[in-house]
Amino acid sequence: MPFLIAVLGVLGAAAFWWYRMKAMNDAAREVADVVGRVQGNIRRKKLRNQAALSPLTAIDDPVVAAATLITAIVSEQGPVLPKREAVIREVISQIADGPKKTDEAVVYAKWAASQIDDTTIVIDKLAPFLRERLDPHEREDLLRMLNRVAQGGEQSIRIADQRVLRLRQKLGFEVN
């Protein structure tokens, strides 16, 4: 009889420890799953940020860059309606080589601006590109073009001071 009790005791202890190990294994698996999901979320966010920049990294023409920059800043206030788009076309046509180039620049600008949620990213990416390719007079013209587009259209809009300040700074102008 004591032998039977000893065997049952050993079997009970083995079952207890087997259950404990199984529970620890399940807990470790859950932790690994959570870590994997967090890492996946981080990777996806990084890819989303890279994808958000891709319309901007493809720009290699100052006319398209100017149109995209102006459209992104103006569209921050709401969608670009037909009258405002006409004003954008008008100011871009003054610097483009022809109507075809104007159309390409405006269409790409509208698409790129709709793909990027944050106007600050557009300014940070395109203003240095434009600073390298435009002389100071042309950069001033760009700011005047932005102002004309903001004043034109259905109703004039006010561009946030921080946007204009950041744009001026990134274009290489001295900012107080």
Side-chain angles (χ1 to χ4, degrees):
M1 190 72 162
F3 178 72
L4 186 60
I5 292 174
V7 170
L8 288 176
V10 169
L11 287 176
F16 171 77
W17 284 109
W18 177 80
Y19 178 75
R20 294 275 300 183
M21 289 297 184
K22 184 179 176 194
M24 286 177 25
N25 190 19
D26 290 344
R29 194 174 297 123
E30 280 186 41
V31 168
D33 286 347
V34 168
V35 168
R37 275 184 267 147
V38 168
Q39 288 175 335
N41 286 340
I42 291 170
R43 272 193 303 268
R44 281 189 294 280
K45 183 176 181 183
K46 184 178 176 184
L47 287 173
R48 276 194 304 270
N49 287 340
Q50 288 175 343
L53 290 176
S54 65
L56 301 178
T57 56
I59 296 174
D60 61 352
D61 181 16
V63 174
V64 176
T68 303
L69 184 65
I70 291 169
T71 304
I73 292 172
V74 170
S75 67
E76 192 173 36
Q77 304 293 325
V80 177
L81 298 174
K83 288 183 182 176
R84 187 153 332 266
E85 182 180 340
V87 176
I88 293 172
R89 283 183 188 283
E90 178 187 325
V91 298
I92 296 301
S93 69
Q94 295 170 2
I95 60 171
D97 293 336
K100 183 178 179 184
K101 181 69 174 174
T102 301
D103 286 341
E104 287 176 12
V106 172
V107 167
Y108 189 86
K110 284 177 57 181
W111 174 78
S114 71
Q115 298 298 310
I116 300 168
D117 297 337
D118 191 4
T119 306
T120 306
I121 292 173
V122 177
I123 293 171
D124 290 347
K125 195 73 174 163
L126 293 181
F129 172 81
L130 289 168
R131 182 181 64 227
E132 293 171 2
R133 285 161 180 77
L134 303 177
D135 63 40
H137 178 69
E138 291 171 328
R139 287 184 252 155
E140 276 294 337
D141 285 344
L142 176 65
L143 293 172
R144 282 193 288 276
M145 290 166 58
L146 174 62
N147 194 33
R148 272 189 300 206
V149 171
Q151 299 308 315
E154 288 78 11
Q155 58 180 200
S156 66
I157 57 172
R158 186 174 184 283
I159 299 170
D161 291 338
Q162 72 236 24
R163 295 288 182 242
V164 174
L165 187 65
R166 185 175 197 92
L167 179 59
R168 290 183 64 80
Q169 180 183 25
K170 294 289 181 175
L171 286 173
F173 292 112
E174 202 169 300
V175 179
N176 296 335

